[in-house]
Amino acid sequence: MSNHIRGRIVGREDSENSPVQKRTLLSAEYPGSKKLKLADEMTDTANQKRPNFSALSTSPNGINKTASLVNTKPGAAKKLVIKNLKEKPKLPENYEEQTWEKLKEAVIAIQTSKSIRYSLEELYQAVENMCNHKMASHLYLNLTTLAEQHVKANIQQFMAESMDRHFFLKKMNECWQSHCRQMIMIRSIFLYLDRTYVLQNPTIHSIWDMGLEMFRHHIVMNTLVQTRCVDGLLMLIEKERQGDAVDTTLLKSLLRMLSDLQIYQEAFESKFLLATERLYAAEGQRLMQEHDVPEYLAHVNKRLAEENERLLHYLDSSTKWALIHTVEKQLLTEHLTAVLQKGLDLLLEENRISDLCLLYKLFTRVKTGLQELCTNFNAYIKKKGRTIVIDPEKDKTMVQELLDFKEKMDNIVSKCFQSNEKFSNSLKEAFEQFINQRTNKPAELIAKFVDSKLRAGNKEASEEELERLLDKIMVLFRFIHGKDVFEAFYKKDLAKRLLVGKSASVDAEKSMLSKLKQECGGGFTSKLEGMFKDMELSKDINVAFRQYMSNARTAHLLNTIDLTVSILTMGYWPTYVAMDVTLPAEMVQYQNFFNRFYLGKHSGRKLQWQPTLGHCLLKAEFPQGRKELQVSLFQALVLLLFNQADNITFEEIKAATNIEDGELRRTLQSLACGKARVLQKTPRGREVENNDVFAYDSQFTNKLCRIKINQIQMKETNEEQKATEERVFQDRQYQIDAAIVRIMKMRKTLSHNLLISELYNILKFPVKPADLKKRIESLIDRDYMERDKDTTNQYNYVT
Amino acid sequence: MADEDNSSDRVDNETPKPEKMFTLKKWNAVAMWSWDVECDTCAICRVQVMDACLRCQAESKAGSGRQDCVVVWGECNHSFHYCCMSLWVKQNNRCPLCQQEWSIQRMGK
């Protein structure tokens, strides 16, 4: 029924603009009614002339008579002359009164739901006749009065003292529905009136509109009725919001009524929005207290969905923006900060992907939502990152934690925050900020982490996995300001890997190097590349040396030692402590051979042997069997002493080898207290004392044929750390110098400030302006540049 | 087994042992080369001679600095970067340290 009314209303609205459209609409609605079709035709533009003709056709003096004339003389060929009527046909005197009585009766019958005595056709004809006889205005007036009386009478039922709201609404709905039904019927009968008289007088309401107007004026505009009705509706909606099932058809019908009567906005909407606001304001406050954030967000989401349903089911769609906006404002905007402060950290911490997705989705709805979310996201990363980085006790796991943390955050940005660029930038900014809160250490640990992954024996990763891991590390590396600190430590570890041949894969090493080069440029990696080059050159040199030895007269050598020398370029490699040790005569002999060979090839060079880095393979003739021992040079020197004596004291060993005290103690410890104990120490005990006596273990057995005796690593002391850092600082001075010269050479003349700002662009490590000033002073002293004589604060390049 | 017991006994009482207990088979040594100079720093550019000179560093030819930037010794045995010295002699054909007439004694290789 309500659909039907709706359709009517649309038709009505349209009809005000185009009568043609109205015709098609109506004929579509009543396809079976010939009469209506007829009426349609009459609405044509020619209908002003039509009335006269049709008046003739219906009058008793009209066509009927002529027809009978024709019938009485069939076949006669007579001339038919048509003359004007002598006198105008007249209506019966009381025609108007009688007809109106008839119509009135019918209307009242409709209004009281009784059957109509006359056929609809007859009534329609009556209306048409009245219209055509200029009684339209009278007819319209009468009809209006009749309708008004009826509607007025209807109000009584709503005025009762107390009335159940639901019952009231039902009654209201009934009344409205029947009013519509009646008006449709009435309009059908009075259609001709509607089409002619009403259409020609723009000031007059169509019959339908008149009906609505009556209903509005007499029933709904009544303060009591309106308040009751609207309050009732609000009550039903509130009930539904509380989760009760309500009669949505009733709601829908009544709300349609309000909008049909065009009082939806003034009477209902504002009150409804106010109620919504009040409800959700209270709910927001309460639920924020009671629920944790994910629950709250889920609730908000549910509420929004519900309100959208409501819009779909019964609210007028014009309310949509205001309603949703109100809900968003009360449930989200008001609580943005609280939600973020209370819940974001936890959600991020626990990696609650779906909750975060929802959070993002909801926050996109409100104006500053994403901005606030981004700020808080950034703050969380900084806070969390700081705890990873700052605590020295967590140094061991720092890099792995950083990698995990980065991956987790990346995942959240891509999955929950729709890869929003603002968020990924903020993520980067936050990482860069916190990772540099602790100077040097993260750089150092990243370098060591890379070392642990590139070192042989790290079998946890395949080539591709390793490659991917290195890429991830490079991302962390990018955040670090003191890249040279990384380089220094990386270099130290790389040296160890290269010299001991412990590198897991040359490809991985090269790939890491090229990544660094890509990131920081060739200047950064030139020394590292130099180290690889040294290793390759050393291979060639050793081939040449073997050649040299076979040609030289070496037959007088007691036994042949297979000597391989790695030649390192000073400056490329980390600096090692120079140590003079006493080598056995045969080793000295070999060393001299090599010196002669090498310096003969390269003039102007000198060689410094690095005993700390050497290692040897010893053949050992134990009574239980022959073993091969893989040892450091120091271990070898100590063991070789036992060829001459059986028991040797610590002091004697020290005098014979000249190995530095601490180093020697560690060496002896590794031989006598380690896993494979080649030496026996008296008295037993871990610490090596000055009076200890050592003897080789004649009972030594081991499953393996070739045994590696591990060295005991000195723990990296603070001093060593400082030394590396000091070296970094020194290098920075040179880099600053080089950068200044490079800039000045290009610009020739430059003001102080511009020079400083260009330097900051170039230099890859943090520097203070004061340090830069010192370097500029120093370069001026060395005549690389000069102060301009005329302009202060300006420098000229000196060629 | 008896042999073993004997041998262990003998250990305790100064056992005889093989001719040579330990023999050095293989020696992987490491040596560091540097220019054989009196002074580590080039007096002209004040950069260590082992590094490329300041101008070469500024050109920033990655990795190629060493080969191009060798060291030169004068008859006076003072040494400088070859690049630095060849610029220097255009102005003044004397050693910047001792003012002797400059003539090249040898070049680094």
Side-chain angles (χ1 to χ4, degrees):
Chain A
M1 184 61 203
S2 57
N3 266 340
H4 192 81
I5 297 171
R6 189 77 186 148
R8 289 253 155 216
I9 293 156
V10 171
R12 168 178 53 81
E13 280 163 2
D14 288 342
S15 70
E16 282 163 17
N17 300 331
S18 80
V20 178
Q21 202 172 348
K22 173 162 75 181
R23 194 179 65 192
T24 51
L25 249 167
L26 285 172
S27 59
E29 273 173 45
Y30 300 101
S33 160
K34 271 185 189 170
K35 197 183 286 169
L36 277 176
K37 274 197 180 156
L38 201 78
D40 285 348
E41 278 152 30
M42 283 179 204
T43 57
D44 280 347
T45 45
N47 64 2
Q48 268 165 335
K49 283 179 187 170
R50 259 326 250 276
N52 288 330
F53 183 71
S54 79
L56 273 174
S57 69
T58 45
S59 78
N61 307 328
I63 285 175
N64 285 348
K65 219 176 187 175
T66 356
S68 64
L69 256 174
V70 173
N71 284 339
T72 46
K73 293 179 181 171
K78 267 199 175 177
K79 203 172 162 187
L80 181 67
V81 180
I82 299 175
K83 289 180 184 166
N84 278 340
L85 286 172
K86 281 188 185 119
E87 50 182 319
K88 247 185 170 179
K90 266 187 195 161
L91 286 174
E93 263 178 38
N94 58 348
Y95 177 76
E96 189 177 354
E97 284 73 32
Q98 277 179 358
T99 322
W100 169 244
E101 276 309 314
K102 210 158 77 175
L103 287 170
K104 187 177 170 185
E105 198 185 325
V107 169
I108 289 174
I110 290 171
Q111 283 171 344
T112 51
S113 304
K114 290 196 180 111
S115 58
I116 309 167
R117 243 182 341 127
Y118 311 94
S119 78
L120 288 174
E121 170 114 26
E122 198 180 339
L123 292 169
Y124 181 86
Q125 209 74 58
V127 172
E128 189 174 345
N129 285 343
M130 281 183 86
C131 286
N132 290 339
H133 287 91
K134 303 189 174 149
M135 296 166 193
S137 66
H138 221 197
L139 180 63
Y140 185 81
L141 220 66
N142 282 334
L143 182 62
T144 311
T145 324
L146 203 56
E148 192 167 7
Q149 274 167 4
H150 176 69
V151 172
K152 254 186 184 168
N154 264 334
I155 192 143
Q156 285 315 316
Q157 55 179 323
F158 302 115
M159 301 300 284
E161 278 292 298
S162 67
M163 195 180 266
D164 175 60
R165 280 182 178 173
H166 195 246
F167 181 67
F168 176 88
L169 291 179
K170 275 208 160 143
K171 218 162 178 196
M172 181 61 129
N173 190 37
E174 263 166 39
C175 177
W176 163 247
Q177 298 289 5
S178 53
H179 173 79
C180 292
R181 225 169 19 238
Q182 290 158 14
M183 287 315 290
I184 288 167
M185 291 278 278
I186 291 170
R187 184 173 65 169
S188 303
I189 294 171
F190 289 83
L191 195 65
Y192 194 80
L193 178 70
D194 221 6
R195 293 292 160 83
T196 51
Y197 174 70
V198 171
L199 217 58
Q200 285 157 25
N201 295 282
T203 48
I204 296 176
H205 289 303
S206 72
I207 295 172
W208 175 257
D209 282 349
M210 182 265 288
L212 290 180
E213 180 59 36
M214 290 296 162
F215 198 84
R216 171 166 66 211
H217 188 79
H218 292 294
I219 298 194
V220 184
M221 285 314 272
N222 181 304
T223 333
L224 183 66
V225 174
Q226 196 182 90
T227 324
R228 278 181 172 180
C229 175
V230 170
D231 285 354
L233 288 171
L234 291 177
M235 181 201 71
L236 277 188
I237 293 175
E238 190 171 335
K239 256 190 178 173
E240 198 197 20
R241 279 179 174 153
Q242 279 162 8
D244 295 348
V246 295
D247 184 354
T248 49
T249 346
L250 176 65
L251 266 173
K252 181 175 179 168
S253 168
L254 285 173
L255 285 169
R256 287 268 184 268
M257 172 188 87
L258 292 181
S259 44
D260 285 350
L261 298 177
Q262 298 184 337
I263 53 167
Y264 176 83
Q265 249 121 24
E266 52 187 293
F268 176 75
E269 193 180 41
S270 49
K271 274 190 182 175
F272 169 67
L273 289 176
L274 200 70
T276 310
E277 188 171 321
R278 211 172 296 144
L279 172 76
Y280 286 130
E283 182 171 283
Q285 295 283 356
R286 185 169 52 84
L287 293 184
M288 270 308 288
Q289 299 279 321
E290 286 172 9
H291 289 332
D292 63 10
V293 169
E295 278 171 355
Y296 182 76
L297 292 174
H299 182 80
V300 174
N301 195 40
K302 198 185 89 194
R303 279 301 194 200
L304 283 167
E306 280 173 8
E307 293 304 332
N308 272 313
E309 286 279 286
R310 208 153 279 145
L311 280 166
L312 218 59
H313 286 142
Y314 52 78
L315 290 174
D316 194 89
S317 57
S318 63
T319 317
K320 179 167 183 162
W321 187 85
L323 172 63
I324 298 299
H325 181 77
T326 308
V327 180
E328 281 167 356
K329 180 164 184 299
Q330 292 307 327
L331 290 183
L332 286 173
T333 317
E334 294 285 313
H335 305 288
L336 271 191
T337 338
V339 165
L340 290 172
Q341 274 175 4
K342 197 173 152 196
L344 182 64
D345 285 11
L346 191 79
L347 292 184
L348 291 170
E349 190 67 38
E350 292 178 359
N351 205 19
R352 312 238 308 239
I353 299 290
S354 57
D355 288 334
L356 285 166
C357 288
L358 179 61
L359 179 73
Y360 183 86
K361 198 184 96 189
L362 290 177
F363 274 44
T364 32
R365 289 171 159 271
V366 293
K367 205 173 156 204
T368 55
L370 286 191
Q371 204 181 322
E372 293 256 336
L373 178 59
C374 190
T375 317
N376 279 271
F377 177 61
N378 184 287
Y380 166 77
I381 297 175
K382 282 180 183 164
K383 197 172 72 191
K384 168 82 180 172
R386 199 183 144 85
T387 61
I388 298 178
V389 167
I390 216 79
D391 184 4
E393 289 192 357
K394 282 166 80 181
D395 280 356
K396 263 188 193 163
T397 53
M398 183 204 289
V399 181
Q400 190 56 52
E401 274 186 50
L402 284 176
L403 287 173
D404 295 346
F405 186 48
K406 179 77 180 20
E407 195 172 340
K408 185 170 144 189
M409 291 300 121
D410 279 343
N411 186 37
I412 285 175
V413 168
S414 71
K415 275 204 185 138
C416 307
F417 301 159
Q418 297 173 359
S419 301
N420 188 323
E421 209 168 299
K422 262 190 199 148
F423 282 79
S424 50
N425 286 338
S426 175
L427 171 71
K428 281 183 201 148
E429 188 270 329
F431 259 84
E432 187 170 339
Q433 198 264 353
F434 81 69
I435 226 171
N436 287 301
Q437 289 214 331
R438 189 155 165 221
T439 37
N440 300 346
K441 199 69 189 181
E444 177 193 332
L445 291 175
I446 291 173
K448 286 188 176 151
F449 186 81
V450 177
D451 174 57
S452 74
K453 295 297 167 193
L454 288 177
R455 214 185 297 155
N458 168 41
K459 289 196 178 90
E460 55 196 287
S462 70
E463 287 273 314
E464 294 86 42
E465 281 169 339
L466 187 60
E467 187 69 23
R468 231 171 301 144
L469 184 68
L470 292 181
D471 280 333
K472 281 183 196 161
I473 290 174
M474 288 310 293
V475 175
L476 289 185
F477 172 73
R478 225 163 275 157
F479 296 131
I480 282 175
H481 287 158
K483 300 216 170 16
D484 43 357
V485 178
F486 172 88
E487 194 234 28
F489 284 99
Y490 184 76
K491 187 155 98 175
K492 222 172 72 180
D493 294 327
L494 174 63
K496 222 177 277 172
R497 290 199 297 276
L498 289 177
L499 290 177
V500 191
K502 265 193 163 177
S503 184
S505 130
V506 182
D507 289 345
E509 292 280 3
K510 288 270 163 75
S511 137
M512 183 66 198
L513 202 59
S514 72
K515 285 186 212 307
L516 288 172
K517 192 169 181 173
Q518 217 171 22
E519 195 60 40
C520 304
F524 186 78
T525 48
S526 68
K527 291 189 173 176
L528 300 176
E529 281 167 15
M531 290 165 74
F532 282 97
K533 212 176 280 170
D534 275 351
M535 292 313 286
E536 270 159 38
L537 282 177
S538 294
K539 269 184 211 155
D540 298 343
I541 290 171
N542 280 306
V543 171
F545 176 61
R546 226 151 271 152
Q547 192 83 32
Y548 170 85
M549 286 297 278
S550 61
N551 291 341
R553 283 171 293 133
T554 53
H556 62 281
L557 289 174
L558 288 172
N559 50 43
T560 47
I561 306 174
D562 182 6
L563 171 64
T564 317
V565 189
S566 304
I567 301 289
L568 318 181
T569 308
M570 195 172 294
Y572 285 172
W573 296 72
T575 37
Y576 298 102
V577 201
M579 222 181 250
D580 257 333
V581 294
T582 314
L583 296 175
E586 46 181 5
M587 290 176 87
V588 176
Q589 225 171 6
Y590 268 90
Q591 213 177 44
N592 288 339
F593 273 124
F594 189 85
N595 275 339
R596 222 173 298 146
F597 157 77
Y598 183 79
L599 298 178
K601 281 189 82 163
H602 297 276
S603 69
R605 296 191 181 188
K606 65 181 176 195
L607 277 182
Q608 188 179 18
W609 294 77
Q610 301 284 342
T612 41
L613 302 173
H615 51 108
C616 305
L617 190 67
L618 284 185
K619 199 172 73 189
E621 302 280 352
F622 288 107
Q624 313 292 337
R626 175 186 292 181
K627 299 282 176 197
E628 282 192 341
L629 304 178
Q630 211 165 355
V631 289
S632 76
L633 177 65
F634 290 152
Q635 286 169 330
L637 292 182
V638 171
L639 289 178
L640 285 172
L641 290 179
F642 289 87
N643 283 337
Q644 278 95 46
D646 294 327
N647 294 297
I648 317 178
T649 65
F650 173 78
E651 295 292 351
E652 283 167 341
I653 296 174
K654 190 174 170 186
T657 57
N658 201 22
I659 300 174
E660 185 264 333
D661 190 275
E663 192 74 49
L664 180 57
R665 279 177 210 272
R666 277 196 297 280
T667 308
L668 285 168
Q669 227 172 18
S670 71
L671 291 169
C673 313
K675 246 188 205 164
R677 299 183 178 184
V678 195
L679 293 185
Q680 285 182 325
K681 181 172 94 80
T682 16
R684 289 166 185 277
R686 275 207 66 80
E687 292 309 312
V688 176
E689 303 297 337
N690 287 353
N691 296 323
D692 286 357
V693 181
F694 294 88
Y696 86 95
D697 180 7
S698 59
Q699 278 185 307
F700 180 83
T701 52
N702 198 301
K703 286 196 298 267
L704 300 168
C705 195
R706 181 178 278 202
I707 305 154
K708 179 167 176 16
I709 300 178
N710 288 322
Q711 279 172 280
I712 292 176
Q713 288 291 326
M714 187 169 51
K715 276 233 174 99
E716 203 169 62
T717 55
N718 276 341
E719 278 166 44
E720 221 177 331
Q721 201 107 348
K722 281 223 180 83
T724 311
E725 278 169 25
E726 176 62 30
R727 224 161 30 243
V728 169
F729 179 74
Q730 268 306 326
D731 282 348
R732 286 185 180 176
Q733 308 299 308
Y734 291 126
Q735 283 192 47
I736 297 171
D737 285 2
I740 296 174
V741 171
R742 192 159 37 197
I743 293 168
M744 289 309 296
K745 188 174 181 183
M746 202 155 63
R747 305 272 184 211
K748 304 297 181 215
T749 311
L750 205 62
S751 79
H752 178 78
N753 288 342
L754 282 176
L755 176 59
I756 298 287
S757 72
E758 284 215 30
L759 276 174
Y760 273 113
N761 286 338
I762 288 183
L763 295 174
K764 293 184 184 73
F765 46 83
V767 254
K768 292 193 203 86
D771 293 337
L772 293 181
K773 257 187 187 162
K774 266 188 215 154
R775 297 323 301 163
I776 294 173
E777 291 290 337
S778 153
L779 285 168
I780 290 172
D781 286 348
R782 286 183 271 156
D783 283 336
Y784 275 94
M785 51 200 275
E786 61 182 16
R787 283 178 214 283
D788 196 275
K789 286 178 191 84
D790 307 319
T791 330
T792 45
N793 271 338
Q794 182 145 322
Y795 305 113
N796 297 327
Y797 181 64
V798 179
T799 27
Chain B
M1 285 306 274
D3 273 5
E4 254 183 51
D5 286 341
N6 286 342
S7 68
S8 70
D9 283 341
R10 270 180 274 146
V11 173
D12 295 333
N13 326 315
E14 294 294 303
T15 39
K17 57 176 181 179
E19 179 76 6
K20 217 170 176 195
M21 224 0 247
F22 299 105
T23 326
L24 183 62
K25 297 277 289 178
K26 232 177 144 173
W27 179 19
N28 288 309
V30 177
M32 198 80 92
W33 77 263
S34 57
W35 299 116
D36 186 17
V37 288
E38 274 180 8
C39 177
D40 282 341
T41 335
C42 167
I44 301 173
C45 71
R46 307 290 296 166
V47 168
Q48 297 195 352
V49 283
M50 275 314 283
D51 286 331
C53 75
L54 202 49
R55 275 172 222 274
C56 285
Q57 276 185 39
E59 315 263 279
S60 141
K61 282 181 223 152
S64 59
R66 177 61 34 72
Q67 274 74 10
D68 298 351
C69 205
V70 291
V71 174
V72 64
W73 285 263
E75 284 300 337
C76 56
N77 223 14
H78 288 129
S79 49
F80 308 96
H81 285 120
Y82 181 73
C83 315
C84 298
M85 200 58 207
S86 43
L87 272 173
W88 179 272
V89 291
K90 282 183 193 160
Q91 292 182 344
N92 182 358
N93 196 24
R94 286 176 187 283
C95 169
L97 287 177
C98 62
Q99 300 301 318
Q100 276 185 43
E101 185 101 351
W102 178 260
S103 62
I104 294 174
Q105 181 203 66
R106 59 186 170 144
M107 293 265 291
K109 199 163 72 163

